[in-house]
Amino acid sequence: MWTITKPDIAALETFDICIEGIRNPALKARLEGIRQQIEDADADFDIKGLAGQLYMIAQSADVIGVGGAVTADEMVNLYKRHMSRQKSRGRTIYDKIMAAAAYGQCPFCGHLPVSTLDHFHGKAEYPVLAVTPVNLIPCCKDCNDYKGTAAALTPETQFLNAYYDDLTEDRWLYAQIIHGSPPGAIFSVIPPAHWGAVTTQRVARHFRELNLAKLYSSQSSRQLQNIRSSLSKNYAAGGAAAVQADLLERSDSCNVVAINSWEGALFEAAANDGWYCGGGFDA
């Protein structure tokens, strides 16, 4: 998982832009009546996010304001019609959040291209956060679908959050080469010794629920085939040692960008596999 910078756009600013497009006077009045709730929920989300306590935010069916209740369906429609829809008033903010993902890649998996915004807390379950920028994370469609909208109720069931959870200095993703024709790889989470139980469980759950082992393994098979010709030339020139040196250089280069990149883990595993370096790459 990659870390990205939090949006610097206030929820109330986003909300006000979105409700400019509401033509129904009664609905607009009720929406204007929940401005304080939108602002308070934004601040609370940031506080709990920094503390690793997003699971403590309560769900609600409606947002109660001075002008009456705004339903979850109405907040969902506000997001869909006035923020995510092309040419809507809030679309500029939507696009700005989308553009925050490094290299245009999903921070949940670190591989597939960003194609949507994920409501970290589902918009139907947490309607007051439906257009709150810090609750919106750019991601790929697969991760968005796999993550779903089920709420975390305990610390260990929280998905990793790209704005608040920074694990970029800790190595936890590892690979193992599968001996076969063609060779492949499997991936797993091995937590560092200093992690607590909650962090370990959260990372393992994130990895499992988003099917990252399957994604990385499928990509690895193609990657190993892509470098087959290059490794053959190295082997002919310097044997297994030359192949290992090449793979370690590839791994180091990947790890400079992201220490838990699946490519870096793959090349490291290949470099440390005697069978692979000794000619298995050409199986």
Side-chain angles (χ1 to χ4, degrees):
M1 190 215 70
W2 294 2
T3 300
I4 56 179
T5 303
K6 282 189 301 181
D8 59 357
I9 311 161
L12 190 56
E13 176 187 350
T14 305
F15 181 73
D16 286 343
I17 290 172
C18 290
I19 67 173
E20 284 178 8
I22 301 297
R23 297 182 180 180
N24 182 314
L27 173 58
K28 190 165 186 176
R30 284 189 290 112
L31 286 166
E32 288 173 341
I34 65 168
R35 294 180 76 253
Q36 188 63 55
Q37 283 73 18
I38 297 296
E39 187 172 35
D40 291 347
D42 184 26
D44 183 58
F45 189 97
D46 193 47
I47 291 170
K48 287 186 168 63
L50 291 169
Q53 298 175 339
L54 290 174
Y55 70 95
M56 295 182 67
I57 297 176
Q59 298 184 50
S60 64
D62 304 311
V63 185
I64 309 299
V66 296
V70 176
T71 68
D73 284 344
E74 289 170 333
M75 288 300 295
V76 169
N77 285 335
L78 183 69
Y79 171 78
K80 290 182 176 179
R81 296 178 182 176
H82 300 280
M83 187 173 182
S84 66
R85 189 170 65 178
Q86 291 285 352
K87 298 183 179 180
S88 64
R89 284 174 168 79
R91 182 68 190 204
T92 300
I93 297 174
Y94 181 100
D95 289 340
K96 183 176 181 180
I97 298 172
M98 284 275 285
Y103 315 110
Q105 290 183 319
C106 173
F108 283 108
C109 64
H111 181 67
L112 296 175
V114 164
S115 58
T116 188
L117 292 184
D118 172 71
H119 282 78
F120 191 77
H121 279 345
K123 52 188 177 292
E125 295 77 18
Y126 301 85
V128 72
L129 298 169
V131 298
T132 299
V134 291
N135 187 43
L136 300 171
I137 300 175
C139 71
C140 67
K141 184 179 183 302
D142 284 356
C143 285
N144 185 249
D145 289 344
Y146 286 138
K147 179 176 171 290
T149 60
L153 301 178
T154 58
E156 67 274 8
T157 58
Q158 297 177 103
F159 277 95
L160 298 178
N161 188 296
Y163 298 142
Y164 297 102
D165 295 309
D166 188 356
L167 301 176
T168 55
E169 299 300 320
D170 294 332
R171 175 73 187 280
W172 52 265
L173 180 64
Y174 292 85
Q176 179 181 344
I177 297 298
I178 298 174
H179 298 178
S181 181
I186 56 175
F187 291 79
S188 59
V189 173
I190 302 178
H194 66 273
W195 277 9
V198 169
T199 300
T200 297
Q201 291 177 62
R202 289 184 66 198
V203 174
R205 182 175 185 273
H206 183 101
F207 191 75
R208 180 181 65 254
E209 295 297 321
L210 299 185
N211 284 322
L212 298 188
K214 180 180 179 181
L215 171 63
Y216 297 160
S217 291
S218 66
Q219 296 299 312
S220 293
S221 297
R222 173 62 64 86
Q223 185 67 274
L224 293 176
Q225 288 303 300
N226 288 342
I227 64 175
R228 181 178 176 180
S229 177
S230 174
L231 296 183
S232 293
K233 293 176 182 177
N234 287 334
Y235 188 77
V243 172
Q244 182 182 51
D246 179 301
L247 292 166
L248 287 174
E249 184 176 353
R250 292 175 190 263
S251 177
D252 290 343
S253 181
C254 292
N255 289 338
V256 168
V257 178
I259 195 171
N260 289 297
S261 74
W262 66 265
E263 298 100 322
L266 172 67
F267 294 139
E268 178 190 66
N272 293 328
D273 190 287
W275 171 85
Y276 186 83
C277 291
F281 61 84
D282 203 27

